[in-house]
Amino acid sequence: MLRRLLDFFEKSGTVDNNSRQQYQKTSLARGLFLSIRYLLVVLVFCLGTWTVSSPAHAAVNQYVRRYLDVAEPVAIAVDGKGETKQFDGEDLSVGQNLFSKNCQRCHVGGANIIDPTVSLSLEKLANATPPRDNLNGIVAFMRQPMTYDGTEESFWCREVAESWMPQEEIEKLAAFVIRAAQKGPAWGTEDLF
């Protein structure tokens, strides 16, 4: 619209060349400013969605996401009676971290260096006495370690006191072990040695 007015006044002789050049410089500056502004908006949007995609997603360990197939919360058995509890990728990542810090020296990849015949495979956990293929079973074992047949105390595994690892943390550790036994490739296989 402003351009048409300038054209009209220029034809009528009321606008000189300097006014025309000033308008063109102003138009170029405005166009450049708008382009930069739109570019910045797009850049901020892209960076924002790229770096802040999802806090839960960012806190999920790659092993948990990829090999344990935890995109959504998963149900882990609480007891042998059908009760379950939901754990998301972040919970299982915390459990994996606790496992790495406290258990991995003797249980690399779910194996058992102390007794290679009793791994952390789902089958071995289920056949222990009492069964350890559920949260309560593994937590009870970690709180008071017993032999595989449940007849006497085991001194090979450390007792995990409540003061050392609160209930919420020990459940995340137990949930990680169970999920790894369910989905982890080669988890608890005895042919690692």
Side-chain angles (χ1 to χ4, degrees):
M1 170 98 171
L2 189 56
R3 176 174 257 167
R4 286 186 194 158
L5 282 173
L6 277 174
D7 286 340
F8 172 77
F9 286 121
E10 187 177 54
K11 287 180 185 174
S12 65
T14 55
V15 174
D16 60 356
N17 263 347
N18 287 339
S19 298
R20 180 82 148 150
Q21 288 174 349
Q22 185 65 27
Y23 167 74
Q24 288 174 343
K25 286 180 185 178
T26 306
S27 295
L28 179 63
R30 270 194 207 135
L32 188 58
F33 176 75
L34 284 174
S35 296
I36 290 172
R37 191 171 79 183
Y38 289 130
L39 181 64
L40 285 174
V41 167
V42 169
L43 185 64
V44 167
F45 175 77
C46 290
L47 285 175
T49 57
W50 184 47
T51 58
V52 190
S53 59
S54 166
H57 186 70
V60 177
N61 178 289
Q62 183 67 19
Y63 177 82
V64 169
R65 183 181 304 119
R66 184 172 181 191
Y67 294 109
L68 302 188
D69 193 28
V70 182
E72 300 288 325
V74 294
I76 302 292
V78 172
D79 52 27
K81 300 174 185 168
E83 186 180 344
T84 62
K85 185 172 180 178
Q86 297 287 322
F87 290 88
D88 61 19
E90 191 172 351
D91 295 331
L92 294 176
S93 294
V94 169
Q96 191 269 341
N97 190 36
L98 290 167
F99 182 85
S100 293
K101 288 180 181 177
N102 301 294
C103 309
Q104 193 164 349
R105 284 181 211 93
C106 297
H107 298 288
V108 177
N112 187 342
I113 293 173
I114 305 300
D115 184 0
T117 63
V118 183
S119 71
L120 297 178
S121 71
L122 201 56
E123 177 187 355
K124 294 290 185 177
L125 291 171
N127 290 327
T129 304
R132 299 172 191 157
D133 62 341
N134 58 67
L135 288 176
N136 291 344
I138 291 181
V139 169
F141 172 80
M142 288 190 280
R143 294 285 190 219
Q144 184 179 3
M146 301 294 285
T147 57
Y148 188 70
D149 63 5
T151 58
E152 53 189 277
E153 284 187 56
S154 173
F155 298 101
W156 295 110
C157 206
R158 293 182 290 179
E159 185 176 315
V160 181
E162 178 85 27
S163 60
W164 172 24
M165 193 177 297
Q167 188 68 20
E168 183 180 340
E169 285 184 0
I170 203 168
E171 284 184 3
K172 290 176 182 180
L173 171 57
F176 167 76
V177 170
I178 292 168
R179 186 63 179 184
Q182 292 170 342
K183 294 283 188 174
W187 180 268
T189 57
E190 295 169 8
D191 58 344
L192 292 175
F193 299 103

